[in-house]
Amino acid sequence: MLADFRNPLPWEQKVLINRNHKAASNPIIRSFTSRHPKCFTNHSIRSSGSRFLVVDVDNRRFASSVSVLTHRLGKPFMIVVNDILGPKGRIAVRLPHYEYRGEQIEMANSVTSAIQDKQHLIVEAGTGVGKSFGYLVPAILSLAESQESTTGGRRRIVVSTHTISLQEQLITKDLPLLNSVIPLEFSAVLAKGRGNYVSLRRLEQAVRKAEGLFVLDEEHDQLRSLMNWSKTTTGGSKSELDFRLLPQVWDEVHSDSSNCLGRNCPTYDECHYFRARKRLQNADILIVNHALFFSDLALRKMNVNILPDYDTVILDEAHTIQDVASAHLGLGVSLRGVEYSLNRLFNNKRNKGVLVAHYFPEGQKAVNLCREKTDEFFGDLLSWSARMKSSSQTGNQTLRVTQSGIVANPLSPALSHASQLVRRHADGLETQSDRQDLISACDRVDALASELENWRLQQLDNGVYWMETSVSRHGKQNVRLMAAPIDVGPELRENLFSKVDTCILTSATVSTGNDSFEFFQQQIGLTQTQTKQLGSPFDYQRQAKLIVVENMADPSQDRDTHERQSIEAIKTYVQRTDGRAFVLCTSYSFLNRAVRDLTPWLIENDLAVYSQGAGIDRNQLLQRFKENPRGVLFGTDSFWQGVDVQGEALQNVIITRLPFSVPDQPLLQARLDAIREAGGNPFNDYQLPQAVIKFKQGFGRLIRSQTDTGIVVILDPRIKTKYYGRIFVGALPECEVELEQM
């Protein structure tokens, strides 16, 4: 009866098992038919371990904790990835146009082995492999394994992505489909940071104290809309709102760890955050983004965690994790951030804020003193910056800070003093809710004081420090004080790779060609790992052509000539595909010049122009491009990766320059200096492999499905004239290469 759950007997509807039965003995399987639901027959079967299976042949919800059984006649019964992803698997049966991909099966088998053997694995899987199913299917099947979780509780898997679009695909499309075809019970939850949830208590508090907190009519209108929404929402997440919320309004009502009463809160039973946290604790699979994942990793060093413990982590879009980890393992504080926190306590221009709502004049005076010290501290930093930079530098600036204590810090003591005053005032308030409101504000001020002094004294181990200055369109100046670890490898090795059984890292672009993952492994500090490089199932020989334009100026030697030639070349190749083109740039300066010089020609040829430099939201820009059959999109860094345009809308990708990073950013400078000091070659050891990976990402924008076709045009002659050009070409899928003259 259990020989093949994909081809059940006509009368068989369900097979049930007593999940509490001990595996050491012969488990009892009970079956019943749809004709005779009350008639049960007991069958003894032999079990290989404690793996039990429940089958629902109607493709309704499955319930199981088992992957392998032995049929009562002695034949093994096993669910393997091929049963799900194979050419005759359950997905193929469910989806009429399902495309079997051998590379996907190979990836899934590698992931299965890594999880079973508690090993780490890096998988580069080319575009079209179907990476999400390649790791989700073996991850789900691993939940049925009988071994105890090393975290001491239930087995749990975290899947982390870089982009929101991939998260949404996993939680709304991929996992529901797999839940319907895999005969195992599992639950998956999208994990969000606490600040994404409304606090019902804080919302009620904000409504009561609105006159002391808000000035603008729009702020009061949004607060009323939030109150109405809170009465009907089931999830309480900001993403459910159908209007764009002002940050100062949300800041007064969102769930906040420092402003939480826990079980003492009158709205605890209805709390959306704690309900979401309970779902996380009970879930088998958590879908998160890299920012939340690495924030949690940083907090774990202080024995605090956002996510529950897990046995396996799958990092998709893994080529981004070095940058994301650097950002969340470092620190950052800004002039505007300090001003915002002070204004939240007391806005002296509008006579609004928490200290007005709670009527504490002495605290208001302390905040005004903090404001004076803010001007003094950041003014001194700007004066120091002006002495350090050359007279030719204007506008937005980034300046590396290589020594500690460059200015005095009168601000942190003033912030600490204000915090102490407000805490004492909070102790005298009648209600716990009011007390917590002020204590939360104090916690934020204390954190600012600590971060400012940590940055000034450069207390981050293995860190690089820098200062960013910028001026808004309205002439308002901002200063950001930043720090990040030069090398995130030791941190990830100690707090992630050595503590989690299995880490699966996957991307379409993590190798530098020839099955070499050395550069990526060095970036993230992963030494002992299995690696797998899988090509794409797409036929690039038929679908894509690589065009190298020969007679272009070398951009590293004659930038202006190369830019002028590139603008003319863009006209030629955009005309060849009648628009439908991405122009990938390596700097905003060239992007803006190209858009400015090409706009009259584009208008003359009735071609729409979409520019990342126009200040339009990235997703809106992409959607407009997809909807217009004759458009040209000019993009920089973020459009080289994570962009999926299928069909006729995109038939041409123009790469203006090889994407070498310019060592003008402090973090990159520090990394290159560290390589040089260790006796290495910064260009060959870092800049070249990094550029090759990004080049592969840019090339990968073109072919996104089996039916896509088009050209990738390279306007940088170094791909032919320099020794490293063959490394770039060799890292791409095999396709037709054509040399052309302008």
Side-chain angles (χ1 to χ4, degrees):
M1 185 178 72
L2 294 176
D4 188 352
F5 65 82
R6 290 169 298 177
N7 297 288
L9 297 173
W11 49 265
E12 183 184 4
Q13 290 301 301
K14 288 190 177 180
V15 180
L16 304 177
I17 193 165
N18 179 358
R19 297 178 65 177
N20 295 322
H21 197 284
K22 297 297 183 182
S25 60
N26 290 329
I28 302 299
I29 289 202
R30 292 176 177 156
S31 66
F32 65 91
T33 69
S34 57
R35 294 179 183 176
H36 305 286
K38 294 183 180 180
C39 179
F40 290 84
T41 305
N42 291 347
H43 300 279
S44 293
I45 65 169
R46 291 190 301 276
S47 169
S48 59
S50 57
R51 303 169 179 179
F52 304 143
L53 178 67
V54 176
V55 180
D56 177 344
V57 300
D58 284 334
N59 288 328
R60 290 193 291 270
R61 185 168 182 83
F62 296 92
S64 168
S65 62
V66 176
S67 61
V68 182
L69 285 174
T70 303
H71 182 252
R72 60 192 174 98
L73 298 179
K75 297 179 181 179
F77 179 89
M78 179 179 292
I79 306 172
V80 295
V81 293
N82 201 62
D83 294 323
I84 311 300
L85 298 173
K88 296 182 180 180
R90 296 185 67 84
I91 296 180
V93 172
R94 172 63 65 87
L95 302 180
H97 302 294
Y98 176 70
E99 296 177 355
Y100 165 72
R101 286 160 282 193
E103 295 89 351
Q104 187 180 66
I105 293 286
E106 193 173 350
M107 175 180 178
N109 286 332
S110 295
V111 173
T112 297
S113 298
I115 295 175
Q116 288 178 345
D117 298 338
K118 296 185 179 181
Q119 293 181 327
H120 302 318
L121 171 69
I122 299 174
V123 182
E124 180 178 79
T127 307
V129 165
K131 291 186 292 296
S132 59
F133 281 4
Y135 58 71
L136 285 176
V137 169
I140 293 168
L141 295 181
S142 75
L143 295 171
E145 292 296 328
S146 61
Q147 63 258 36
E148 289 290 329
S149 165
T150 56
T151 60
R154 66 190 302 162
R155 175 172 290 279
R156 188 178 290 111
I157 296 168
V158 169
V159 179
S160 181
T161 76
H162 183 58
T163 58
I164 295 174
S165 58
L166 181 52
Q167 281 182 283
E168 292 175 345
Q169 173 191 316
L170 294 175
I171 204 72
T172 64
K173 181 181 176 182
D174 295 345
L175 283 164
L177 174 61
L178 294 177
N179 192 38
S180 71
V181 299
I182 297 179
L184 301 172
E185 180 185 2
F186 67 92
S187 59
V189 174
L190 177 63
K192 300 180 181 181
R194 183 169 191 157
N196 286 280
Y197 296 96
V198 68
S199 164
L200 299 177
R201 179 189 63 81
R202 294 193 71 205
L203 177 58
E204 293 173 0
Q205 181 113 331
V207 170
R208 289 200 311 271
K209 300 182 181 298
E211 290 303 317
L213 295 174
F214 303 118
V215 174
L216 303 176
D217 290 341
E218 186 180 6
E219 293 171 332
H220 289 277
D221 291 342
Q222 288 198 354
L223 193 61
R224 284 190 290 269
S225 297
L226 279 172
M227 179 56 77
N228 292 332
W229 166 76
S230 71
K231 297 174 182 177
T232 58
T233 178
T234 56
S237 172
K238 183 172 64 171
S239 62
E240 299 175 20
L241 295 171
D242 59 1
F243 60 93
R244 188 167 184 174
L245 198 61
L246 294 170
Q248 63 267 30
V249 176
W250 185 249
D251 199 42
E252 294 296 335
V253 303
H254 70 74
S255 182
D256 183 352
S257 60
S258 65
N259 200 343
C260 178
L261 300 180
R263 294 185 180 275
N264 294 324
C265 179
T267 63
Y268 176 80
D269 291 338
E270 295 80 37
C271 179
H272 295 291
Y273 167 71
F274 281 107
R275 286 180 174 179
R277 189 164 181 83
K278 186 175 181 180
R279 289 193 294 270
L280 287 184
Q281 296 290 344
N282 293 326
D284 302 298
I285 299 174
L286 308 183
I287 307 298
V288 307
N289 62 28
H290 289 345
L292 180 60
F293 179 80
F294 287 108
S295 294
D296 174 78
L297 198 67
L299 287 172
R300 285 175 182 265
K301 294 189 298 181
M302 299 177 285
N303 296 317
V304 179
N305 61 295
I306 304 170
L307 304 173
D309 291 337
Y310 45 86
D311 304 272
T312 299
V313 60
I314 299 168
L315 297 168
D316 201 343
E317 301 175 304
H319 58 275
T320 65
I321 65 175
Q322 183 194 30
D323 291 336
V324 180
S326 294
H328 287 83
L329 297 175
L331 62 88
V333 60
S334 70
L335 169 60
R336 290 183 188 173
V338 173
E339 291 175 339
Y340 181 86
S341 295
L342 294 177
N343 285 334
R344 185 173 177 271
L345 281 171
F346 174 55
N347 188 324
N348 56 351
K349 294 180 180 179
R350 297 178 174 180
N351 195 34
K352 300 290 181 181
V354 175
L355 300 183
V356 174
H358 289 284
Y359 189 69
F360 185 38
E362 186 180 358
Q364 296 170 20
K365 292 179 183 178
V367 170
N368 283 335
L369 178 61
C370 290
R371 199 168 275 114
E372 293 175 11
K373 298 303 180 183
T374 298
D375 293 340
E376 182 180 343
F377 176 67
F378 283 96
D380 288 346
L381 285 171
L382 287 170
S383 297
W384 179 87
S385 173
R387 293 194 300 270
M388 294 298 106
K389 68 183 182 182
S390 66
S391 59
S392 62
Q393 291 177 309
T394 58
N396 298 351
Q397 294 295 320
T398 300
L399 186 64
R400 185 174 174 183
V401 181
T402 57
Q403 61 184 23
S404 64
I406 57 173
V407 296
N409 180 14
L411 178 53
S412 289
L415 290 170
S416 297
H417 174 67
S419 173
Q420 291 170 6
L421 284 177
V422 176
R423 284 183 191 276
R424 285 200 296 267
H425 181 71
D427 291 340
L429 296 179
E430 293 183 2
T431 68
Q432 187 177 7
S433 184
D434 286 343
R435 289 195 297 273
Q436 196 65 39
D437 196 27
L438 288 183
I439 290 172
S440 171
C442 291
D443 288 343
R444 183 178 298 194
V445 170
D446 286 336
L448 280 175
S450 177
E451 284 187 327
L452 288 166
E453 189 65 355
N454 286 345
W455 183 88
R456 189 181 76 95
L457 298 180
Q458 300 196 349
Q459 295 181 342
L460 177 67
D461 292 337
N462 184 38
V464 58
Y465 293 78
W466 69 96
M467 181 170 69
E468 299 174 359
T469 58
S470 60
V471 180
S472 71
R473 289 178 295 178
H474 305 293
K476 188 173 177 63
Q477 191 158 37
N478 189 29
V479 180
R480 289 171 56 85
L481 309 179
M482 309 295 293
I486 296 174
D487 182 6
V488 298
E491 189 86 23
L492 297 184
R493 190 161 49 244
E494 178 182 353
N495 295 300
L496 177 60
F497 301 131
S498 66
K499 293 184 178 179
V500 177
D501 287 348
T502 301
C503 295
I504 309 293
L505 301 99
T506 184
S507 169
T509 51
V510 286
S511 78
T512 53
N514 300 321
D515 198 25
S516 174
F517 294 91
E518 183 179 351
F519 175 68
F520 178 65
Q521 289 179 244
Q522 288 176 347
Q523 282 186 312
I524 62 173
L526 181 54
T527 53
Q528 291 184 313
T529 182
Q530 301 296 309
T531 61
K532 191 79 173 179
Q533 187 175 34
L534 300 169
S536 170
F538 297 154
D539 185 358
Y540 283 92
Q541 289 280 13
R542 177 184 61 83
Q543 294 179 257
K545 179 190 291 186
L546 181 69
I547 298 175
V548 177
V549 183
E550 287 190 289
N551 57 334
M552 302 285 290
D554 187 325
S556 64
Q557 298 178 6
D558 191 348
R559 173 180 168 183
D560 186 66
T561 300
H562 177 265
E563 289 187 354
R564 285 189 285 104
Q565 291 176 336
S566 294
I567 289 170
E568 293 303 312
I570 290 169
K571 293 179 184 178
T572 299
Y573 290 103
V574 164
Q575 202 165 37
R576 184 175 296 186
T577 54
D578 196 25
R580 302 176 173 84
F582 272 8
V583 179
L584 298 181
C585 308
T586 58
S587 70
Y588 273 104
S589 61
F590 175 69
L591 181 148
N592 292 329
R593 176 181 179 179
V595 171
R596 183 191 68 228
D597 292 354
L598 285 168
T599 294
W601 180 84
L602 292 166
I603 293 173
E604 181 182 338
N605 287 271
D606 193 29
L607 292 167
V609 58
Y610 303 101
S611 171
Q612 191 177 3
I616 303 173
D617 176 77
R618 178 176 179 269
N619 292 328
Q620 291 182 6
L621 199 66
L622 194 61
Q623 188 59 38
R624 293 179 189 179
F625 174 81
K626 290 179 180 180
E627 293 170 353
N628 191 325
R630 303 184 70 247
V632 183
L633 190 151
F634 293 80
T636 56
D637 188 62
S638 64
F639 277 91
W640 287 71
Q641 59 181 319
V643 176
D644 190 359
V645 180
Q646 297 186 19
E648 295 186 358
L650 181 61
Q651 298 180 5
N652 184 356
V653 173
I654 300 173
I655 296 177
T656 57
R657 289 183 62 161
L658 297 178
F660 289 110
S661 54
V662 180
D664 60 352
Q665 296 301 313
L667 184 55
L668 177 59
Q669 290 173 359
R671 286 172 176 165
L672 298 183
D673 288 345
I675 293 171
R676 191 178 295 109
E677 290 170 4
N681 183 308
F683 180 79
N684 288 332
D685 296 346
Y686 193 93
Q687 290 172 283
L688 178 57
Q690 184 188 56
V692 169
I693 289 175
K694 189 169 182 179
F695 181 73
K696 290 169 63 178
Q697 293 165 359
F699 179 90
R701 296 314 98 210
L702 181 67
I703 305 300
R704 309 300 298 177
S705 74
Q706 295 278 8
T707 58
D708 287 351
T709 59
I711 58 175
V712 175
V713 182
I714 311 299
L715 302 182
D716 192 329
R718 292 176 293 179
I719 200 166
K720 185 173 182 293
T721 61
K722 299 294 185 180
Y723 75 91
Y724 50 74
R726 65 180 182 272
I727 300 176
F728 282 92
V729 176
L732 300 178
E734 289 190 14
C735 63
E736 181 183 351
V737 180
E738 188 172 303
L739 303 178
E740 293 190 0
Q741 300 281 329
M742 271 296 295

